[in-house]
């Protein structure tokens, strides 16, 4: 089975298993992911916002525009990478995802990664970082690649600030871009 077909099965499993019915009832779309299923880099954000819920695609609002700009600085476009979120339905009024919501979606995120098999996972913000790198502070480890055990193999996680947090904060914005620009070098070292 090809990767997209396998990812479609993960989407169907979320629906069939009635994951987070409260969120599902208020959402327009289940936002699974976007981009290249053969990508070396997978970005993981927090949860869809209003634009993402309406369009069914991750990072298509203001934070997404910034993410696209950051990719462009590294000579990449969205179709070079894969982008998803830990929580796949929009939380009401864009509140932070709850611990139970993140826990409920976590196995499906792992399945996405098992299918795509990226070289590097970039977590955007603390919500997606905390499951991969528990008890760590993003302010202390942003931009530092961390090798973790992932099933039978190893996976490199690069924790970055969330683009929405950095959007209107000049120094955080530059830090996020600078951190991201080190990723091609990290991939080269792994390869
Ligand atoms: N912020 C996120 O974390 N994810 C999105 O898809 C959009 C904004």
């Amino acid at each position: 089975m090809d990767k997209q077909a396998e990812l479609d099965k993960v989407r169907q499993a979320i629906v069939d298993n009635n994951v987070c019915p409260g969120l599902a009832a208020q959402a327009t779309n289940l936002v699974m992911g976007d981009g290249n299923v053969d990508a070396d880099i997978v970005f993981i954000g927090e949860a869809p916002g209003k634009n993402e819920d309406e369009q069914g695609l991750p990072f298509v609002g203001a934070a997404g525009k910034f993410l696209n700009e950051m990719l462009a600085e590294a000579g990449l476009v969205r179709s070079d990478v894969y982008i998803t979120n830990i929580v796949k339905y929009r939380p009401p009024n864009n509140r932070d995802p709850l611990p139970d919501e993140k826990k409920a979606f976590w196995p499906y995120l792992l399945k996405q990664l098992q299918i795509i098999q990226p070289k590097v996972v970039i977590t955007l913000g603390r919500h997606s970082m905390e499951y991969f790198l528990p008890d760590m502070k993003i302010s202390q480890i942003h931009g530092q690649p961390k090798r973790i055990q992932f099933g039978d193999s190893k996976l490199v996680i690069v924790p970055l600030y969330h683009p929405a947090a950095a959007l209107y904060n000049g120094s955080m914005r530059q830090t996020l871009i600078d951190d991201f620009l080190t990723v091609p070098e990290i991939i080269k070292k792994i390869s």
Side-chain angles (χ1 to χ4, degrees):
M1 199 188 305
D2 70 20
K3 285 186 178 184
Q4 190 54 58
E6 286 189 65
L7 290 168
D8 291 345
K9 277 177 72 176
V10 178
R11 165 190 275 273
Q12 195 55 45
I14 291 173
V15 175
D16 293 346
N17 296 335
N18 207 14
V19 178
C20 294
L23 290 185
Q26 297 186 50
T28 311
N29 277 300
L30 168 58
V31 181
M32 280 302 285
D34 183 32
N36 184 343
V37 298
D38 292 312
D40 285 343
I41 304 174
V42 169
F43 284 92
I44 306 175
E46 185 176 310
K50 187 170 185 292
N51 294 295
E52 289 76 19
D53 179 51
E54 283 168 6
Q55 296 182 41
L57 291 169
F59 283 96
V60 289
K65 192 164 168 268
F66 177 30
L67 187 59
N68 294 347
E69 284 168 23
M70 204 166 82
L71 288 169
E73 294 229 17
L76 296 169
V77 288
R78 274 175 84 107
S79 54
D80 292 323
V81 300
Y82 191 85
I83 305 172
T84 187
N85 286 301
I86 180 159
V87 169
K88 315 286 197 225
Y89 292 119
R90 180 191 182 201
N93 302 316
N94 295 351
R95 66 156 165 72
D96 280 355
L98 302 174
D100 278 356
E101 293 164 352
K102 289 182 268 184
K103 195 170 164 198
F105 277 107
W106 174 245
Y108 301 96
L109 176 62
L110 291 185
K111 281 196 191 131
Q112 285 179 294
L113 295 178
Q114 278 157 4
I115 294 166
I116 298 172
Q117 300 205 350
K119 292 199 168 111
V120 169
V121 165
I122 297 182
T123 56
L124 298 169
R126 67 186 168 87
H127 290 286
S128 57
M129 181 192 83
E130 68 189 5
Y131 269 87
F132 293 99
L133 304 170
D135 303 322
M136 297 208 186
K137 277 212 161 84
I138 193 160
S139 56
Q140 287 168 0
I141 61 159
H142 66 85
Q144 296 172 21
K146 304 280 180 198
R147 199 175 274 265
I148 63 160
Q149 192 67 34
F150 186 69
D152 294 338
S153 53
K154 301 265 187 193
L155 185 59
V156 173
I157 309 288
V158 182
L160 298 189
Y161 285 123
H162 194 288
L167 202 53
Y168 303 112
N169 177 327
S171 70
M172 199 189 270
R173 186 186 170 97
Q174 197 53 51
T175 302
L176 175 50
I177 294 171
D178 292 345
D179 285 349
F180 179 63
L181 290 177
T182 65
V183 170
E185 198 53 40
I186 295 168
I187 291 178
K188 240 192 236 163
K189 276 193 192 142
I190 301 169
S191 302

